[in-house]
Amino acid sequence: KAGVTQTPRYLIKTRGQQVTLSCSPISGHRSVSWYQQTPGQGLQFLFEYFSETQRNKGNFPGRFSGRQFSNSRSEMNVSTLELGDSALYLCASSPTPYEQYFGPGTRLTVT
Amino acid sequence: QQQVKQSPQSLIVQKGGISIINCAYENTAFDYFPWYQQFPGKGPALLIAIRPDVSEKKEGRFTISFNKSAKQFSLHIMDSQPGDSATYFCAARLIQGAQKLVFGQGTRLTINP
C-alpha cells in the first residue's frame, strides 16, 4: 500500500498570506489527523477528521482550519500567516482508533 | 495534565549497547502509548506501541516496559546499531474516541560505531 502523501513538500510564504496544505491518507483509512512540529514546541496536535467531520481540535487559533473530503483526503488552511507558523506540518492517517501513520510532512517557511 | 515528559533529551550509546528512553505522564485518561522514530527530513514512523493492561511488549530489538502505577513507560533498544540513530518520540492517546496523540519532547539518539 502507498503511504500517506502530502503536498507540497516545501512551501515559502510571506507573512499575512494564507496557505493550503494537502494530505492523501493510506487507502482505506478514514481518520486523518494534523500535527505541527517545531523545534521549540515539538509535535502538537492540530485537529482530526473522520468521515468529513472534525472530531477533535487542539489549542491553535482559528486561523488554522481544515476539512476532509468524501474520499478521505484532507486539507488544512492557515490564514494570515505569522512568522511563528513556520514549521513542519504532518498529516497522519489511521485505520483503527489507535495506530497513526505519518506522512513526510510539508515544510512551511514564513518570511 | 496532558503532558508527557520524556528523558533524556539526547543519548549517545556505543554500538551493541542498550539504549533506554523514559517517559512519564500524569493523566490517567491515556489508553495507548506508542513510540515513534524519526529520521531527518522524514515523518515519524510508528515503531512499537503498548496498552496499559500489558506491562511489557517486545518486537525484535525493541521493547516497551510499562509501569501503570508509576505512570511511566520506557523504550529499550537492544544491540543498538548505527542505523538506529534518530530522534525518538513517546506519545500517549487520550481516551476520547478520537485520535489525539500527546507527544514527548523527543530524544536524539546517536549510536557510535
Side-chain angles (χ1 to χ4, degrees), chain A residues 22-99:
Chain A
S22 181
C23 171
S24 292
I26 295 170
S27 178
H29 292 194
R30 296 167 63 189
S31 169
V32 173
S33 301
W34 289 88
Y35 293 81
Q36 181 196 64
Q37 185 175 24
T38 60
Q41 298 299 314
L43 279 148
Q44 292 187 290
F45 174 80
L46 279 157
F47 28 66
E48 185 231 353
Y49 287 87
F50 181 85
S51 293
E52 302 179 63
T53 301
Q54 186 181 90
R55 287 204 299 193
N56 208 345
K57 192 177 191 301
N59 297 323
F60 279 83
R63 299 185 297 107
F64 292 81
S65 62
R67 60 178 175 168
Q68 186 181 34
F69 302 95
S70 58
N71 62 358
S72 294
R73 190 177 69 87
S74 178
E75 289 181 346
M76 69 162 281
N77 184 277
V78 188
S79 62
T80 319
L81 284 165
E82 300 177 359
L83 295 179
D85 296 333
S86 294
L88 181 67
Y89 289 89
L90 292 159
C91 167
S93 74
S94 310
T96 73
Y98 295 99
E99 310 100 89

Side-chain angles (χ1 to χ4, degrees), chain A residues 9 31 33 35 37 40-43 45 48 55-56 90 94 96-104, chain B residues 31-32 36 38 41-46 51 89 93-94 96-105:
Chain A
R9 291 293 313 278
S31 169
S33 301
Y35 293 81
Q37 185 175 24
Q41 298 299 314
L43 279 148
F45 174 80
E48 185 231 353
R55 287 204 299 193
N56 208 345
L90 292 159
S94 310
T96 73
Y98 295 99
E99 310 100 89
Q100 291 190 37
Y101 298 93
F102 284 85
Chain B
D31 70 341
Y32 171 74
Y36 283 85
Q38 187 176 29
K42 306 285 186 182
L46 180 61
R51 298 186 195 181
F89 294 93
R93 174 192 179 268
L94 285 167
Q96 287 182 334
Q99 295 283 20
K100 177 180 177 178
L101 289 176
V102 177
F103 282 86
Q105 284 297 99

Side-chain angles (χ1 to χ4, degrees), chain B residues 65-105:
Chain B
S65 296
F66 188 84
N67 186 328
K68 190 174 181 178
S69 60
K71 297 180 188 173
Q72 294 175 348
F73 58 110
S74 60
L75 175 70
H76 296 232
I77 306 174
M78 313 299 287
D79 187 27
S80 299
Q81 299 297 311
D84 296 330
S85 296
T87 300
Y88 292 81
F89 294 93
C90 63
R93 174 192 179 268
L94 285 167
I95 303 171
Q96 287 182 334
Q99 295 283 20
K100 177 180 177 178
L101 289 176
V102 177
F103 282 86
Q105 284 297 99

